[in-house]
Amino acid sequence: MSLLTVEGLKISTDGRALVSDLSFAVGAGERMGLIGESGSGKSLTAMAITGLLPRNISARGSITLDGQQVIGAPERNLGQLRGSATAVIFQEPLTALDPLTRLGRQIEEPLRRRYRRDGLDPKTVKHEVLALMERVALPQPERIAAAYPYEVSGGQRQRVAIAMALACRPKLLIADEPTTALDVTTQAEILKLLDSLVRDLGMALLFISHDLPVVANVVDRLTVLRNGKAVEQGPVRDVLGAPKNPYTKTLVEAARAFDQALGRTP
Amino acid sequence: MSAIAAAPVRRSRRSWLFAIGLILVGINVAVALLTLVWLPYDPSSTAGGRLEAPSLLHWAGTDRLGRDLFTQIMIGSRIALMVGAGAVAIGAAIGVTLGVLSAFATRLLDDAFAAAFDILIAFPTLLLAMLVVAASDTASLGSAILALGIAISAIVARLTRILAKRVIGMDYITAARTSGTSWPQIVIKHVLPNIWPTLLVNFALQFGLAVIAEASLSYLGLGAPPPNASWGRLLQEAQGTVYTAPFGAIAPGLALLILVIGINLSADGLRDIGDPTRRGSR
């Protein structure tokens, strides 16, 4: 049985469908890419998986996460799933971090929760915070732990956000456009980091992006979303090598044309 | 160019004003504490001449009954601080609680809360104070504090609600939710710390307004009854003789002015301290 199974997911607000009849599955340790233009319903799908859709947006269908039904589940059950089954990395690391809390404390918070959950010795939390910061390749972890978000660079903020997600030790890591707000060099570094972390820790990954080349390098399977519908699904090689859907074709061609214009071969 | 050059000047002027504010408030606090152990004259002693002008013996002159005015003003500063602190404490406790609850409530409940805050804010404070006094049979310091506390709580609740709602909509709250943080934890660890700097400034301003409102209540006989020498009551007593002995009204008025200016100047400085992005650059 898959870690995450989405079946016939329908997300709507005021009778307007935002996502319709979406189905996909992510097995333990598997990497799935969810790709589509803005407004295609990617992020809403991620929020639905964590059970955190805004009040005026409702979801129907079925989402099973770690053997539990998410849609319609009581808040208490969802609270237990969040952090243990999933953790999310967001697009904009500046706004995803509390501006008035030191970075070390922000990593400590989910870590303490996991320690309580797993019955680990809370005395080692501080040490583990620094270890996590080293793990995500933050330089001078002690200095950055004492800093506020506005005092460090965008790439470092995203590393802190990744450390916070890792602190939860989730089975499924959801990365919602994690590199979109970063410059190209930093983007490549963060992608490499995510890639190695997911591999080393055996987490499953749901990678959400509008950027085809970015997704293609990180995931095994792709789901292409358009206007809230899945238009194509399959292994990366198949989807990109021989796209069947016209929309996917234009996406692939656009990426290819872009690469040729830059003098790169895909 | 001019904006860049102006910034440091404005900052340093601000920190000067903050220092002056703290000194003014500090003097008041020191005087209030001093009255607990020492007074220049017995406040009920009528040994001085009636309506004397300020002199070395009586720094602020004497009142109709020959009592030393400076002694009464000193006691008045204790009462002003007690009322300000008491009213803001009540207002903050009720206001922040209701404001946060309202921000987290369902749409319908939130609208009801918001309407209630607005009605309470529109309600005249003096009328509210009269109602509280009527309900508690006699005017006392406690009834004045309670009335002002209720009036302040509505203002604080409305501000808290708006600030908390804005914070709740931020990405870092969603981020905290996705990692399994419960709502009470989010309020304590993320919402309150982020709205605190703004609330603190508002508390300081409300403190100043409460001091003035207490003077108004006492002036109308709705505040602390005699022999409590509230500044408002001193003003009221001096009213009849304001042409022959103006200092009887000027002195408590000045004391009130000094405290309120001190509080208002401190309020701005408090905001800078609460916000780490401003703290370092000062």
Side-chain angles (χ1 to χ4, degrees), chain A residues 29-195:
Chain A
E30 200 184 8
R31 301 144 171 237
M32 163 70 92
L34 207 53
I35 191 164
E37 58 201 20
S38 39
S40 60
K42 311 175 300 259
S43 296
L44 280 175
T45 305
M47 286 294 98
I49 292 168
T50 53
L52 283 173
L53 284 172
R55 275 187 195 130
N56 55 340
I57 298 181
S58 62
R60 278 185 300 143
S62 158
I63 298 175
T64 28
L65 181 60
D66 204 14
Q68 282 199 53
Q69 178 59 244
V70 173
I71 293 178
E75 189 58 33
R76 191 185 311 162
N77 297 7
L78 290 176
Q80 283 164 1
L81 275 180
R82 291 180 199 132
S84 69
T86 57
V88 186
I89 301 167
F90 292 89
Q91 175 174 345
E92 180 47 75
L94 183 58
T95 55
L97 296 171
D98 184 335
L100 295 188
T101 306
R102 291 178 200 277
L103 294 170
R105 281 207 151 271
Q106 306 206 35
I107 300 173
E108 199 180 308
E109 205 182 295
L111 197 59
R112 277 196 189 283
R113 232 176 354 255
R114 173 161 71 86
Y115 269 47
R116 255 199 312 277
R117 193 174 71 211
D118 296 351
L120 297 168
D121 182 8
K123 283 197 206 88
T124 57
V125 164
K126 299 260 183 216
H127 181 78
E128 181 65 18
V129 167
L130 295 177
L132 273 171
M133 293 178 86
E134 263 166 35
R135 183 89 221 224
V136 296
L138 276 165
Q140 298 172 277
E142 258 140 37
R143 183 183 67 82
I144 290 182
Y148 289 96
Y150 77 95
E151 292 174 320
V152 303
S153 74
Q156 289 173 336
R157 278 180 214 134
Q158 196 59 296
R159 285 173 197 273
V160 170
I162 293 173
M164 285 170 70
L166 289 185
C168 301
R169 276 285 162 83
K171 293 176 183 147
L172 172 69
L173 184 65
I174 301 177
D176 188 357
E177 303 258 10
T179 60
T180 308
L182 306 172
D183 63 71
V184 181
T185 328
T186 318
Q187 189 173 342
E189 285 170 16
I190 295 286
L191 282 177
K192 221 165 84 189
L193 175 70
L194 271 177
D195 188 61

